[in-house]
Amino acid sequence: MQIELKKEDLITLAHYKMPFGKFKGRYLILLPESYLQWFHQKGFPEGKLGFMMKQALEIKVNGLEGMLLKIQKDFPADSL
């Protein structure tokens, strides 16, 4: 899987939260990788959430969570 995200997409992903389930309210980038892998095997939700979950998984697999955590800090949600 190859990621091609724009700056705005990364900022959105950094602040995107899980809207349901066991991890409701948690930032996607902070979800356990095993949880995202489970969705990868079973099928991601349709729409924006599924797209964001796929991107979060790819970032985690490549060890780039720190990049999104820095984006959260540098671009607070209330500044969007």
Side-chain angles (χ1 to χ4, degrees), residues 1-67:
M1 187 184 322
Q2 184 176 1
I3 301 175
E4 288 194 30
L5 295 173
K6 299 175 193 155
K7 174 184 173 182
E8 296 81 18
D9 295 331
L10 288 171
I11 294 170
T12 299
L13 177 56
H15 295 286
Y16 209 92
K17 293 183 179 181
M18 190 66 185
F20 62 84
K22 180 179 180 179
F23 297 106
K24 181 178 181 178
R26 188 181 289 192
Y27 291 113
L28 293 184
I29 199 60
L30 297 179
L31 294 175
E33 187 176 328
S34 59
Y35 186 69
L36 293 169
Q37 287 288 359
W38 182 85
F39 272 100
H40 179 66
Q41 292 172 350
K42 300 293 182 183
F44 287 105
E46 295 292 322
K48 187 173 183 174
L49 175 61
F51 174 76
M52 292 292 181
M53 289 175 76
K54 287 177 194 175
Q55 303 316 310
L57 175 59
E58 189 66 21
I59 286 169
K60 288 180 91 58
V61 165
N62 287 292
L64 300 172
E65 301 98 322
M67 173 185 66

